[in-house]
């Protein structure tokens, strides 16, 4: 199954500004992308990066920012990159539109690049609802499979319905259910903490330190972040 | 399987003080307990409330606070209640200790009372790792099964090892993995957004409005809470 991985090269992870510098955020976003691509590959998916600009420009940015090149992760696999500088929904829908020859379309997945906790097992649960021809299987038949993100978002989905389109603005999980209903597409949700946890804000870094074991978690630990008890939930401090 | 549901009658849900009054928090906590008990029952578990005081005292508290009795949910099932006013870990460990005749112990589960998004399906995934005799099954053999909570917590677990004890203080997910290793108990984790989402803080209310369909979600909607786009993730406002 083709798996689109949207990746913004323009001021990535700006909501982590209270934890990381701009050049650090760029490097950290890149490590998360590397983790996500590796997990997709392990889960049997075929990743394709949907970037707002050439991926190479991040390398240049990092080099310009003086980031240690040895600390800059290389991508574990070499996926094709499609550059589209339009807003996320437009860029994804352009690709969904491409594959509409008729009622028979192949399933396409969209997995966010900041799901640094995604494991092959979690992604297999996402991909598992459709067979190799993109049709629903007995274990999870659905035209649209959604892994909700925390705060009403859509962190990952699989689309095997020809008329379903995405709308990532606002509470997209609810919007995607509505859109599916409008085009008569069945919906399955994947109940996964790992897929629900996009790494967007400072508090999310604690989640990565607790549960992560990939390049992004290692990067964060090497950058000096550790867990700290913070009332109810644990938070992070930087040493 | 016996399922302990710890429930605090003393200033419940104090971290929701910026959203609900004390009497509302007591009523809301009770609706969440009702949802959790019903889900456990539907999943085939046998719930037993582990309360810091007589459950009846909440009724009296609510009545005294002038809460509409018709809005006050009755518990859908009538579980046994064990009163223990010690700290949570001590109270749970006392029960784990009780059932230690030797190496053969029955599995006991502990499910937090504020998991208002818990569904029977999610709990079946938690309970599924042990058979009716409390031993590991092929689908998920483990001496200890943990559903992590957001922020390093332990929102639900199943213990079928005689020497495992809980420690809910701090980053309990990591502590529980360490304790399991110390007593030679195998660990399985359940990757569930629903079980990871304890309703503790204002932002968690949005999660309940997006994904909930039980008594607690209904209570919240009737109390005037609605979703509002709030930058990245959706939040709640009260009308």
């Amino acid at each position: 199954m083709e798996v689109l991985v949207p990746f913004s090269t323009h001021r990535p992870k700006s909501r982590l500004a209270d934890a990381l510098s701009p050049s650090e955020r760029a490097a950290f976003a890149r490590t998360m992308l590397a983790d996500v691509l590796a997990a997709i590959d392990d889960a049997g998916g075929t990743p394709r990066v949907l970037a707002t600009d050439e991926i190479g420009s991040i390398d240049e940015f990092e080099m310009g920012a003086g980031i240690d090149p040895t600390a800059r992760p290389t991508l574990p696999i070499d996926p094709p990159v499609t550059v589209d500088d339009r807003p996320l929904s437009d860029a994804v829908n352009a690709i969904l539109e491409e594959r509409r020859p008729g009622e028979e379309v192949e399933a396409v997945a969209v997995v966010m690049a900041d799901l640094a906790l995604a494991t092959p097992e979690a992604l297999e649960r996402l991909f598992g609802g459709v067979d190799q021809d993109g049709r629903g299987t007995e274990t999870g038949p659905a035209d649209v499979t959604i892994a909700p993100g925390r705060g009403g978002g859509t962190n990952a989905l699989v689309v095997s319905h020809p008329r379903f389109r995405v709308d990532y603005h606002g509470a997209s999980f609810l919007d995607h259910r509505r859109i599916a209903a409008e085009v008569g597409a069945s919906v399955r949700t994947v109940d996964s903490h790992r897929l629900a946890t996009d790494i967007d804000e400072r508090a999310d870094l604690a989640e990565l330190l607790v549960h992560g074991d990939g390049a992004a978690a290692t990067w964060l630990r090497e950058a000096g972040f550790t867990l700290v008890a913070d009332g109810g939930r644990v938070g992070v401090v930087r040493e």
Side-chain angles (χ1 to χ4, degrees), chain A:
Chain A
M1 186 190 305
E2 184 168 67
V3 183
L4 303 177
V5 183
F7 184 72
S8 172
T9 61
H10 176 65
R11 299 184 62 239
K13 298 288 112 196
S14 54
R15 283 158 63 199
L16 282 172
D18 59 347
L20 298 170
S21 72
S23 62
E24 287 175 332
R25 298 202 296 275
F28 181 56
R30 179 66 170 250
T31 67
M32 294 202 288
L33 174 64
D35 282 343
V36 168
L37 292 172
I40 291 169
D41 190 52
D42 284 352
T46 306
R48 170 179 171 191
V49 176
L50 180 59
T52 54
D53 200 352
E54 296 296 337
I55 289 283
S57 65
I58 281 217
D59 288 332
E60 291 159 26
F61 177 77
E62 288 174 18
M63 296 292 278
I67 292 175
D68 175 5
T70 61
R72 181 164 47 88
T74 52
L75 298 181
I77 48 180
D78 190 23
V81 177
T82 298
V83 174
D84 191 328
D85 63 2
R86 287 177 291 179
L88 176 59
S89 299
D90 295 338
V92 170
N93 283 335
I95 291 174
L96 293 179
E97 192 77 26
E98 273 174 17
R99 79 199 157 142
R100 189 173 68 167
E103 288 302 303
E104 293 286 323
V105 294
E106 287 197 9
V108 174
V110 185
V111 174
M112 294 301 154
D114 60 355
L115 300 187
L117 292 181
T119 53
E121 293 73 24
L123 289 171
E124 281 165 10
R125 289 174 56 207
L126 174 74
F127 299 157
V130 289
D131 64 20
Q132 294 199 332
D133 296 325
R135 296 190 195 85
T137 66
E138 283 184 72
T139 53
D143 298 321
V144 179
T145 302
I146 305 178
R150 203 139 53 74
T154 302
N155 281 356
L157 49 68
V158 177
V159 180
S160 55
H161 189 283
R163 293 197 310 280
F164 181 85
R165 294 294 177 269
V166 298
D167 179 358
Y168 282 104
H169 188 73
S172 64
F173 174 71
L174 298 175
D175 289 336
H176 286 149
R177 288 214 303 198
R178 176 184 50 75
I179 293 166
E182 286 170 1
V183 300
S186 61
V187 173
R188 181 175 71 100
T189 55
V190 176
D191 175 26
S192 165
H193 173 56
R194 290 184 172 277
L195 299 184
T197 306
D198 44 330
I199 308 295
D200 255 342
E201 303 174 354
R202 186 182 178 95
D204 305 330
L205 301 180
E207 224 56 48
L208 190 51
L209 289 180
V210 171
H211 297 287
D213 60 3
T218 299
W219 187 95
L220 206 59
R221 290 186 186 105
E222 290 180 352
F225 285 88
T226 55
L227 291 171
V228 62
D230 184 18
R233 292 172 178 147
V234 297
V236 296
V237 288
R238 190 166 191 176
E239 289 168 347

